[in-house]
Amino acid sequence: MYADEMVATAQAMVTSGKGILAADESYSTANKRFEKLGIPTTEEARRAYRDMLLLTPGLGDFISGVILFDETIHQSTHDGVPFAEAIVTAGMIPGIKLDTGAKPLAGAPGETVTEGLDNLRDRVADYYKLGARFAKWRAVLTIGDGIPSRRCIEANAHALARYAAICQEGGLVPIVEPEVLMDGAHTLERSFEVTEEVLHTVFAQLYLHKVVPEQMILKPSMVIPGEKSSQQVSVEAVATATVKCLLCTVPAAVPGIAFLSGGQSEELATAHLNAMNTLFKGKMPWPLTFSYGRALQQPALLAWMGQDANVPTARQALHHRVKCNSAASLGQYTEEMEKAA
Ligand code: 13P
């Protein structure tokens, strides 16, 4: 019933020169980031923060869709317009985080499985009515001694596939996000091996659960050494390993791939995306773009600091990052663009 609409939505999410703004931090993640900066952790502060981000003039020139958290999709702008409506007016598509977080996987120390399948069908219907047209579910895989285990990979892939199937039944395009964490001291090669196994398993489960590839977006992590690794790798090495891994695992029918930033610095996340789109221009079946959270928001959050007077500067910071990443999605990002700001 929603097939044509979902194909069109998925294509619009990865349309040339645009990416996705992940602004779906849960209460605890948003509050932790605020606390670090001495910003009050109130409902109104979280609303004002999202107001600052989402009403940035020109955001829709570079952003196709915004992922919201449940609290935000029920909130409104300072002049009373529901955020979902304001997003549409700015030429973007509202999306919603549907998972309820990564919880300890029983019997698997140090590993998690993402929850949120209970009542998911009803929640999808409610969010569709509120204006959402796509959704997100993040699975988390940690690299360590003997992990991720096969059990953890399969449990998370199964949950992602059940989520994606229920989304497509209810008219929401699922963003399928299996994040292999950068935490740890692993090498680029180990990151490749784990990401490859995870993506193979995820797409096998998506197939088993009859998820339509044309009606979804993949949101993977990049293939990158652990943040504590002593291995030095170039931007080109990360770009090459990441694209090689995706070419081996992701069906060509998927309309697009939008990366998470996963704790990379803002400029490195942009440089990696740009290198993939430069080195592999014309050699990939799907567009590669961004669906960053921290790598888009961090400079704006630091400029804002909870103060109304800082809103214009904070918006400039966000506008700069989305513009640079838009250029990177086209392989047109340069160091001069950074300096120009
Ligand atoms: P980061 O870009 O900060 O990793 O966040 C993206 C996201 O949506 C995580 O689920």
Side-chain angles (χ1 to χ4, degrees):
M1 159 179 169
Y2 298 104
D4 292 347
E5 181 180 280
M6 286 189 290
V7 168
T9 300
Q11 285 172 357
M13 288 164 71
V14 292
T15 197
S16 182
K18 293 192 186 182
I20 298 164
L21 169 62
D24 61 322
E25 295 78 14
S26 62
Y27 297 113
S28 80
T29 305
N31 289 347
K32 261 186 240 153
R33 292 189 191 152
F34 281 13
E35 260 164 28
K36 258 195 194 159
L37 300 172
I39 301 168
T41 56
T42 59
E43 181 178 343
E44 173 49 25
R46 290 189 297 271
R47 192 209 62 76
Y49 178 60
R50 267 70 184 244
D51 191 288
M52 179 278 288
L53 292 176
L54 301 180
L55 298 185
T56 296
L59 195 63
D61 295 344
F62 307 110
I63 294 293
S64 57
V66 184
I67 318 174
L68 302 172
F69 179 56
D70 176 70
E71 179 183 57
T72 321
I73 203 168
H74 290 98
Q75 289 174 324
S76 298
T77 65
H78 58 276
D79 45 11
V81 181
F83 277 126
E85 207 179 301
I87 288 170
V88 173
T89 303
M92 304 179 288
I93 309 166
I96 185 75
K97 183 220 286 293
L98 287 182
D99 68 74
T100 54
K103 307 286 159 59
L105 177 63
E111 299 195 288
T112 61
V113 63
T114 298
E115 296 189 349
L117 290 170
D118 288 355
N119 304 320
L120 186 57
R121 180 171 281 112
D122 296 339
R123 291 168 59 221
V124 165
D126 291 345
Y127 288 126
Y128 188 95
K129 281 189 208 125
L130 285 169
R133 289 296 176 268
F134 71 92
K136 165 190 137 171
W137 179 291
R138 172 177 174 257
V140 183
L141 289 306
T142 305
I143 300 183
D145 212 6
I147 61 171
S149 63
R150 191 63 212 158
R151 180 166 30 146
C152 176
I153 295 174
E154 286 195 11
N156 277 291
H158 173 85
L160 272 169
R162 286 191 56 204
Y163 139 82
I166 293 173
C167 282
Q168 290 188 344
E169 186 189 87
L172 299 185
V173 170
I175 292 184
V176 171
E177 180 179 0
E179 176 171 6
V180 177
L181 292 180
M182 269 171 65
D183 303 15
H186 52 271
T187 59
L188 180 79
E189 292 72 24
R190 177 87 175 116
S191 171
F192 186 103
E193 184 181 88
V194 171
T195 307
E196 187 181 34
E197 183 180 354
V198 167
L199 290 175
H200 271 307
T201 311
V202 166
F203 278 100
Q205 283 289 328
L206 292 171
Y207 175 69
L208 188 63
H209 287 266
K210 299 192 186 304
V211 173
V212 183
E214 291 85 347
Q215 299 167 13
M216 63 165 278
I217 297 295
L218 178 71
K219 175 163 172 167
S221 38
M222 295 181 194
V223 174
I224 200 165
E227 59 179 0
K228 295 202 184 76
S229 170
S230 52
Q231 188 185 29
Q232 300 287 326
V233 297
S234 63
V235 167
E236 289 72 26
V238 168
T240 303
T242 302
V243 173
K244 187 173 168 212
C245 190
L246 295 170
L247 285 171
C248 292
T249 52
V250 183
V254 170
I257 297 176
F259 291 100
L260 60 93
S261 61
Q264 298 179 56
S265 74
E266 295 95 45
E267 293 188 18
L268 203 51
T270 311
H272 283 147
L273 178 63
N274 188 63
M276 290 182 223
N277 283 314
T278 317
L279 296 171
F280 294 91
K281 194 179 173 70
K283 296 185 185 141
M284 298 178 290
W286 0 251
L288 296 186
T289 188
F290 58 94
S291 175
Y292 297 158
R294 284 162 287 181
L296 291 179
Q297 291 184 44
Q298 195 58 19
L301 175 62
L302 291 174
W304 180 61
M305 293 297 281
Q307 305 295 322
D308 282 350
N310 297 337
V311 166
T313 328
R315 286 183 175 154
Q316 273 171 17
L318 177 65
H319 190 270
H320 173 64
R321 285 265 51 85
V322 297
K323 191 174 173 184
C324 287
N325 282 294
S326 162
S329 75
L330 300 167
Q332 294 169 2
Y333 168 69
T334 58
E335 275 182 32
E336 287 65 45
M337 282 187 76
E338 287 296 345
K339 289 185 200 125

